[in-house]
Amino acid sequence: MLLQIPEVFSKAEVAALRARLDAGPWADGNATSGHQSATAKKNLQLPEDSDVAKEVSALVVQALNANPMFVAAALPHTIFPPLFNRYEDGDQFGLHVDNAIRQSRTGGALRIRSDLSATLFLSEPEDYDGGELIIEEMYGSQAIKLPAGDLVLYPSKSLHRVTPVTRGTRVSSFMWMQSLVRDDADRETLFRLDIATQRVASEKGPKDQAVIELTGVYHNLLRRWTEV
Ligand code: NI
């Protein structure tokens, strides 16, 4: 499932984050690539151990953990500290699949299996040409270019690429996470059940017996499928 999560940050918050990020220090993006993707990538990234990256990364994680739609859809176990990239002057990222395992390069013990990938857009679409995130799905490819502050969540198993930026600058945060529910279809089923239960609750009230029973089914499925 590919999901757009609107307004993770307000426009004012995006402006404040951009002011911090734009000061750099930006470096060659191949510093963070896995073996397969190193040949296909041309962009700039903030080194993950830089003060700016660490500071803004923590704000992104905080905003995501406070976002009900994100939590319901991702069921996050661990979010690997988000990174930041910048595309301009023809920069692009060729077709690839994200690495299955992410391990901290900064000496920490953090290691995750990447179940979900996400891109948080920090430039407005009209400020650059190109730079679409193309995600290959079973039923074809989707071109994603969202307003600043919005995030797209997609399975890490998807082939994807970023088309060349031919005008302006595209700044974004990108990240990987391990979910409590490993299987994409199971996770999507839980998300749809969650939304349907909330719909019944809004019509009949949270104490309606159907709502209580559906909530029970949700938790009993989560208990079967979860890995903690
Ligand atoms: Ni990728």
Side-chain angles (χ1 to χ4, degrees):
M1 182 178 60
L2 201 152
L3 188 70
Q4 177 181 349
I5 298 176
E7 289 179 58
V8 172
F9 287 109
S10 69
K11 300 299 184 193
E13 289 168 333
V14 169
L17 297 181
R18 278 296 301 273
R20 193 80 181 89
L21 293 170
D22 288 353
W26 294 94
D28 183 347
N30 283 312
T32 60
S33 292
H35 187 68
Q36 179 204 355
S37 57
T39 54
K41 177 157 72 169
K42 181 183 174 294
N43 65 8
L44 296 173
Q45 284 181 201
L46 284 180
E48 64 183 83
D49 57 353
S50 64
D51 288 344
V52 179
K54 284 194 278 192
E55 179 192 321
V56 182
S57 181
L59 295 174
V60 173
V61 172
Q62 193 177 45
L64 290 175
N65 282 327
N67 186 299
M69 188 177 179
F70 171 82
V71 171
L75 296 170
H77 176 288
T78 304
I79 302 172
F80 198 80
L83 300 172
F84 302 89
N85 59 19
R86 179 182 182 102
Y87 292 79
E88 54 199 2
D89 300 329
D91 287 349
Q92 60 180 303
F93 199 160
L95 193 67
H96 67 281
V97 165
D98 293 341
N99 288 358
I101 306 294
R102 287 284 157 182
Q103 184 140 20
S104 173
R105 291 176 182 227
T106 52
L110 182 62
R111 184 174 63 185
I112 66 155
R113 179 191 65 236
S114 57
D115 295 320
L116 286 163
S117 300
T119 295
L120 171 67
F121 289 77
L122 295 170
S123 296
E124 294 295 356
E126 58 269 26
D127 290 345
Y128 59 99
D129 290 335
E132 285 93 1
L133 172 63
I134 309 286
I135 302 172
E136 308 281 351
E137 290 263 67
M138 288 288 283
Y139 42 83
S141 65
Q142 300 235 21
I144 315 286
K145 189 170 182 173
L146 301 181
D150 287 17
L151 175 137
V152 62
L153 186 67
Y154 59 99
S156 298
K157 67 184 181 186
S158 312
L159 280 165
H160 57 278
R161 63 193 168 94
V162 177
T163 64
V165 171
T166 55
R167 177 189 65 88
T169 299
R170 175 197 193 269
V171 174
S172 69
S173 177
F174 62 102
M175 66 210 81
W176 306 280
M177 63 208 75
Q178 183 166 325
S179 177
L180 290 165
V181 175
R182 180 177 188 164
D183 184 81
D184 290 314
D186 291 349
R187 196 182 321 107
E188 181 174 348
T189 298
L190 286 168
F191 182 55
R192 291 184 187 280
L193 177 57
D194 190 359
I195 289 170
T197 304
Q198 286 176 39
R199 183 165 296 139
V200 177
S202 71
E203 286 171 10
K204 295 184 176 264
K207 292 182 177 168
D208 182 83
Q209 185 166 341
V211 174
I212 293 165
E213 288 173 359
L214 285 166
T215 303
V217 171
Y218 177 90
H219 281 282
N220 290 334
L221 286 174
L222 184 58
R223 210 183 316 279
R224 289 177 71 94
W225 293 339
T226 199
E227 300 168 36
V228 291

